Amino acid sequence: MRRTAISIIVLTVSALFSVTPLILHKGFIGGGWDLSQHMNWAEQVNIGLREGILYPRWMSLSNGGYGSPTMTFYSPLFYLLTGFLNLFIPSLTISLKIATIAGFIFSGFSMYLLLRNFCSNTASIVGGIAYQLLPYHVFALYLRETLAEAFAFIWLPLIIHFAYKGFKQDRLSNWIGMSFSYAGLILTHIASAYIFTFAIGCFGIFLSIREKSLRSSLKFIMSFMFGISLSAVYFIPMLFERKFVHIEWMTKIWGEFQNHFLFADKHSYLHLEQILVLQALFVIIFLILIDYRWKKHLWMPNRNLVFFFLLFILAIYMSTPISTPIWILIKGLQTLVFPWRWMTASTFAVSVLIGLTIDSFRFSDYKRDRFIRILIALFFAVVFINIYYSSQYIMAAEPMQKERMQQILSDRTDMATFRPIWHTQQKGKDWDPSTEEWMPVKFKQGNGNIEIVSWKSQSRLFNVNASSESIIRVSTFYYPGWTALINGEGASIEIEDESGAILLSIPQGENTVLLEFKDTPLRRFAGWVSIISIITAFIAVFMEKIKVFNPFSSGRD
C-alpha cells in the first residue's frame, strides 16, 4: 500500500512538471490554429450540454454561424469531459487545463500499471515518468496543441495491459477492460486509434503464437470487436456519414502524405527528427545491454520485450519515406495525412523499453562490471538530454493573450473537411466571414416579417409573416438530421446551390417554423448498440464477481 502511494505521488509530481506552464499562467498556453479548434469545440459542446443534449454533434457557431457536424467525425470524449467540467467550473480555460493535466497524470499511471506486469516497482515508475516526459508527448501539447491526442496517451498502455492479463489469467473482467480501453481510445482520438489498431493486432498475434491458445485468441478478437460496439455511438456514424462531408479537401489543406514523412523538409521546423534520434538512442542502449547479458549468460529478457522492440521499428518505418508503398496500398492510412503521427506508437514502445532497461540494471553487478557502468552512464545521459529537450518546450510555452482568446471565440473557425458536401463555395479554405453579412433568417423570395423566438445549438424557432408565398433562407448548413415543421406539420427542406444553406417554402400569412437537428435512424441504431454493449458489459462483470456466470471460463488450452 505504501509503495503504491509513493508511486502515485511520484508520477503525479512528474506530470505536474510536464504541465507547469498550465499551472503557473492564468491563461491557456499557445494560441495556434489547433488550439483554436479545441477551445471552440469544447465551448460549443458545453453549450449543448447546458441545453440538455447528451452528445452534441452539431457545432452551431462554427463557420460563421452556419454550423458543422464536427462531433460526428472528430472523437468527442475529450470535449465532453471538458464541457462537463465547464458545467461546474465557470472558466472554460480552467476546465481545459484540468482535463489536460488529468491526461498527463493518468497516462503515467496507465504506463506504470502495464510495466508492473514485467518490471519492478522502481522500473515501472521510471517508465511511467518517461511516458509523461518524452519529448513527443510534451511536443503534442505545447507545439502542436493537439489536446485530444495528448489525452489519448492514457489508453495505449491500458489496452496492452488488459490484453496481456486476458491471455495470462483468462478472466472476463480483463477482456472487458481491454474493450473499454479500446473504446476510450476511439472516442478520444480516432487517428491514434487507427494507428494503434495495428499495434493491438500485432500484439494479439504475438501472444497467440506464444501462448498457443486458440481460445484466448478468439477472446482477444471478441474483445477487440466489443470495443468497437462500445464506441458505436460515435464510430458507426463517423464511418458511414463521411460521404456527406468534404473529406477530399484534406489533401488540399495539408498536402499529400508524402510531404509529411520524417526527414522531409516541409515539416523540419517541428524538430521531429531530433526526437526520433533521442528515442533511438534509448533503444540502442537497450539492445546493447540485452546482447551483453545474453553473451554473459545472465538475466534473460522476457519474451514480450520482442514485441515492444518490433513495435518501435514498425512505428519508425511507417514514419519514413521507405514505407510509401504501404501507404499507397492501404488507402485508410492516407487519411492520417501526417505519417509522423506514428511517433505516438514509438513513444509508447520506448517508454516500455526504458522501464525494462532500468529493470535489467537492477539485476546487473554494476559495482564490478565496468561495461555496465558505462551503459548506465550513457543511459542517464540520454535521459538528461530528453528531459532537457522536453524542458525547452515547457520553458518556451507562453500564455495566450486575452485578445487572442477573444479572437478565437469570435472567429469560430472549424475544419473545412467537415463542411457538408452541399457547400462548395470556400473549397478547402478556412471560413471567411467577410464573404457576406450573416443573418439568421431572411427572405430569398417574397417579403414580410421574421421574428426569432429562440436560436439554440440544435434547434431554431421563429415566426414568419409572409405577404405571399415565399422562400426563406436559414443561415445553417443542411446536413442529414435537420428537420422542419411549419405550423406543426412536417415540411420539406431545400438546399441552396453553392452555399448549402437551408431553404424553406413558406405559405402566405402567419407561420411558426421549427428547425431541429435530430438523430437519423443510423445514429439511433449506433446509440442503442453502445447502450446495450455497456449494459451487457456491466452485467457480465457483475455475474463473474458473484461467480454465477462466466461465458469465458472454461480453463486454458
Side-chain angles (χ1 to χ4, degrees), residues 513-529:
V513 180
L514 175 63
L515 277 172
E516 290 184 296
F517 187 73
K518 297 181 177 180
D519 282 342
T520 60
L522 177 69
R523 292 176 210 150
R524 287 195 294 272
F525 167 76
W528 277 110
V529 170

mmCIF file of all heavy atoms in Angstrom, residues 513-529:
data_model
loop_
_atom_site.group_PDB
_atom_site.id
_atom_site.type_symbol
_atom_site.label_atom_id
_atom_site.label_comp_id
_atom_site.label_asym_id
_atom_site.label_seq_id
_atom_site.Cartn_x
_atom_site.Cartn_y
_atom_site.Cartn_z
ATOM 1 N N VAL A 513 -42.235 28.391 -37.508
ATOM 2 C CA VAL A 513 -41.279 27.458 -38.119
ATOM 3 C C VAL A 513 -40.345 26.920 -37.030
ATOM 4 O O VAL A 513 -39.777 27.684 -36.245
ATOM 5 C CB VAL A 513 -40.454 28.147 -39.221
ATOM 6 C CG1 VAL A 513 -39.467 27.154 -39.838
ATOM 7 C CG2 VAL A 513 -41.361 28.744 -40.287
ATOM 8 N N LEU A 514 -40.213 25.607 -37.020
ATOM 9 C CA LEU A 514 -39.297 24.955 -36.074
ATOM 10 C C LEU A 514 -38.336 24.069 -36.854
ATOM 11 O O LEU A 514 -38.742 23.165 -37.572
ATOM 12 C CB LEU A 514 -40.065 24.105 -35.062
ATOM 13 C CG LEU A 514 -39.208 23.263 -34.094
ATOM 14 C CD1 LEU A 514 -38.355 24.168 -33.205
ATOM 15 C CD2 LEU A 514 -40.083 22.340 -33.255
ATOM 16 N N LEU A 515 -37.053 24.362 -36.736
ATOM 17 C CA LEU A 515 -35.998 23.524 -37.306
ATOM 18 C C LEU A 515 -35.295 22.797 -36.161
ATOM 19 O O LEU A 515 -34.916 23.417 -35.165
ATOM 20 C CB LEU A 515 -34.975 24.377 -38.057
ATOM 21 C CG LEU A 515 -35.285 24.787 -39.503
ATOM 22 C CD1 LEU A 515 -34.246 25.780 -39.989
ATOM 23 C CD2 LEU A 515 -35.295 23.561 -40.411
ATOM 24 N N GLU A 516 -35.121 21.501 -36.298
ATOM 25 C CA GLU A 516 -34.442 20.719 -35.267
ATOM 26 C C GLU A 516 -33.447 19.764 -35.891
ATOM 27 O O GLU A 516 -33.720 19.182 -36.941
ATOM 28 C CB GLU A 516 -35.449 19.920 -34.431
ATOM 29 C CG GLU A 516 -36.330 20.757 -33.530
ATOM 30 C CD GLU A 516 -37.225 19.892 -32.658
ATOM 31 O OE1 GLU A 516 -38.082 19.184 -33.230
ATOM 32 O OE2 GLU A 516 -37.061 19.919 -31.425
ATOM 33 N N PHE A 517 -32.320 19.620 -35.229
ATOM 34 C CA PHE A 517 -31.313 18.658 -35.650
ATOM 35 C C PHE A 517 -31.492 17.407 -34.803
ATOM 36 O O PHE A 517 -31.229 17.405 -33.601
ATOM 37 C CB PHE A 517 -29.901 19.222 -35.476
ATOM 38 C CG PHE A 517 -28.824 18.348 -36.046
ATOM 39 C CD1 PHE A 517 -28.639 18.249 -37.423
ATOM 40 C CD2 PHE A 517 -27.988 17.617 -35.215
ATOM 41 C CE1 PHE A 517 -27.641 17.443 -37.953
ATOM 42 C CE2 PHE A 517 -26.994 16.805 -35.735
ATOM 43 C CZ PHE A 517 -26.814 16.721 -37.117
ATOM 44 N N LYS A 518 -31.965 16.327 -35.448
ATOM 45 C CA LYS A 518 -32.292 15.100 -34.725
ATOM 46 C C LYS A 518 -31.393 13.960 -35.192
ATOM 47 O O LYS A 518 -30.764 14.026 -36.249
ATOM 48 C CB LYS A 518 -33.758 14.717 -34.958
ATOM 49 C CG LYS A 518 -34.755 15.737 -34.423
ATOM 50 C CD LYS A 518 -36.175 15.258 -34.673
ATOM 51 C CE LYS A 518 -37.201 16.221 -34.092
ATOM 52 N NZ LYS A 518 -38.599 15.750 -34.331
ATOM 53 N N ASP A 519 -31.365 12.921 -34.385
ATOM 54 C CA ASP A 519 -30.625 11.729 -34.783
ATOM 55 C C ASP A 519 -31.335 11.026 -35.926
ATOM 56 O O ASP A 519 -32.560 10.853 -35.909
ATOM 57 C CB ASP A 519 -30.481 10.764 -33.604
ATOM 58 C CG ASP A 519 -29.396 11.196 -32.639
ATOM 59 O OD1 ASP A 519 -28.546 12.010 -33.038
ATOM 60 O OD2 ASP A 519 -29.399 10.716 -31.493
ATOM 61 N N THR A 520 -30.566 10.617 -36.914
ATOM 62 C CA THR A 520 -31.087 9.811 -38.013
ATOM 63 C C THR A 520 -31.254 8.367 -37.522
ATOM 64 O O THR A 520 -30.754 8.007 -36.454
ATOM 65 C CB THR A 520 -30.102 9.843 -39.190
ATOM 66 O OG1 THR A 520 -28.846 9.308 -38.747
ATOM 67 C CG2 THR A 520 -29.897 11.270 -39.695
ATOM 68 N N PRO A 521 -31.953 7.523 -38.278
ATOM 69 C CA PRO A 521 -32.062 6.113 -37.878
ATOM 70 C C PRO A 521 -30.700 5.455 -37.641
ATOM 71 O O PRO A 521 -30.550 4.650 -36.721
ATOM 72 C CB PRO A 521 -32.799 5.471 -39.060
ATOM 73 C CG PRO A 521 -33.641 6.586 -39.606
ATOM 74 C CD PRO A 521 -32.805 7.819 -39.448
ATOM 75 N N LEU A 522 -29.718 5.797 -38.457
ATOM 76 C CA LEU A 522 -28.374 5.233 -38.285
ATOM 77 C C LEU A 522 -27.796 5.635 -36.929
ATOM 78 O O LEU A 522 -27.222 4.803 -36.210
ATOM 79 C CB LEU A 522 -27.450 5.701 -39.408
ATOM 80 C CG LEU A 522 -25.993 5.235 -39.295
ATOM 81 C CD1 LEU A 522 -25.901 3.733 -39.536
ATOM 82 C CD2 LEU A 522 -25.099 5.998 -40.275
ATOM 83 N N ARG A 523 -27.917 6.909 -36.570
ATOM 84 C CA ARG A 523 -27.360 7.383 -35.292
ATOM 85 C C ARG A 523 -28.104 6.768 -34.118
ATOM 86 O O ARG A 523 -27.497 6.444 -33.092
ATOM 87 C CB ARG A 523 -27.428 8.913 -35.227
ATOM 88 C CG ARG A 523 -26.506 9.601 -36.218
ATOM 89 C CD ARG A 523 -26.677 11.105 -36.196
ATOM 90 N NE ARG A 523 -26.384 11.660 -37.508
ATOM 91 C CZ ARG A 523 -26.938 12.749 -38.006
ATOM 92 N NH1 ARG A 523 -27.846 13.409 -37.298
ATOM 93 N NH2 ARG A 523 -26.612 13.178 -39.201
ATOM 94 N N ARG A 524 -29.429 6.618 -34.244
ATOM 95 C CA ARG A 524 -30.180 5.977 -33.154
ATOM 96 C C ARG A 524 -29.749 4.527 -32.992
ATOM 97 O O ARG A 524 -29.583 4.038 -31.862
ATOM 98 C CB ARG A 524 -31.686 6.074 -33.427
ATOM 99 C CG ARG A 524 -32.255 7.476 -33.225
ATOM 100 C CD ARG A 524 -33.768 7.442 -33.151
ATOM 101 N NE ARG A 524 -34.366 7.032 -34.414
ATOM 102 C CZ ARG A 524 -34.679 7.863 -35.398
ATOM 103 N NH1 ARG A 524 -34.447 9.171 -35.255
ATOM 104 N NH2 ARG A 524 -35.243 7.412 -36.509
ATOM 105 N N PHE A 525 -29.582 3.845 -34.113
ATOM 106 C CA PHE A 525 -29.116 2.457 -34.053
ATOM 107 C C PHE A 525 -27.750 2.383 -33.373
ATOM 108 O O PHE A 525 -27.519 1.534 -32.494
ATOM 109 C CB PHE A 525 -29.032 1.881 -35.472
ATOM 110 C CG PHE A 525 -28.290 0.577 -35.562
ATOM 111 C CD1 PHE A 525 -28.890 -0.610 -35.140
ATOM 112 C CD2 PHE A 525 -26.986 0.541 -36.055
ATOM 113 C CE1 PHE A 525 -28.199 -1.817 -35.219
ATOM 114 C CE2 PHE A 525 -26.296 -0.669 -36.131
ATOM 115 C CZ PHE A 525 -26.908 -1.838 -35.702
ATOM 116 N N ALA A 526 -26.833 3.278 -33.757
ATOM 117 C CA ALA A 526 -25.488 3.287 -33.181
ATOM 118 C C ALA A 526 -25.543 3.556 -31.678
ATOM 119 O O ALA A 526 -24.808 2.941 -30.895
ATOM 120 C CB ALA A 526 -24.626 4.342 -33.872
ATOM 121 N N GLY A 527 -26.422 4.474 -31.274
ATOM 122 C CA GLY A 527 -26.570 4.776 -29.860
ATOM 123 C C GLY A 527 -27.043 3.579 -29.057
ATOM 124 O O GLY A 527 -26.534 3.299 -27.957
ATOM 125 N N TRP A 528 -28.009 2.846 -29.607
ATOM 126 C CA TRP A 528 -28.519 1.664 -28.912
ATOM 127 C C TRP A 528 -27.482 0.554 -28.854
ATOM 128 O O TRP A 528 -27.426 -0.204 -27.863
ATOM 129 C CB TRP A 528 -29.806 1.167 -29.580
ATOM 130 C CG TRP A 528 -31.020 1.917 -29.125
ATOM 131 C CD1 TRP A 528 -31.781 2.804 -29.847
ATOM 132 C CD2 TRP A 528 -31.593 1.867 -27.817
ATOM 133 N NE1 TRP A 528 -32.782 3.309 -29.080
ATOM 134 C CE2 TRP A 528 -32.708 2.753 -27.818
ATOM 135 C CE3 TRP A 528 -31.289 1.191 -26.645
ATOM 136 C CZ2 TRP A 528 -33.510 2.952 -26.698
ATOM 137 C CZ3 TRP A 528 -32.069 1.390 -25.522
ATOM 138 C CH2 TRP A 528 -33.173 2.256 -25.555
ATOM 139 N N VAL A 529 -26.656 0.446 -29.885
ATOM 140 C CA VAL A 529 -25.581 -0.557 -29.846
ATOM 141 C C VAL A 529 -24.650 -0.271 -28.675
ATOM 142 O O VAL A 529 -24.268 -1.183 -27.918
ATOM 143 C CB VAL A 529 -24.791 -0.568 -31.171
ATOM 144 C CG1 VAL A 529 -23.522 -1.430 -31.040
ATOM 145 C CG2 VAL A 529 -25.654 -1.093 -32.305
#
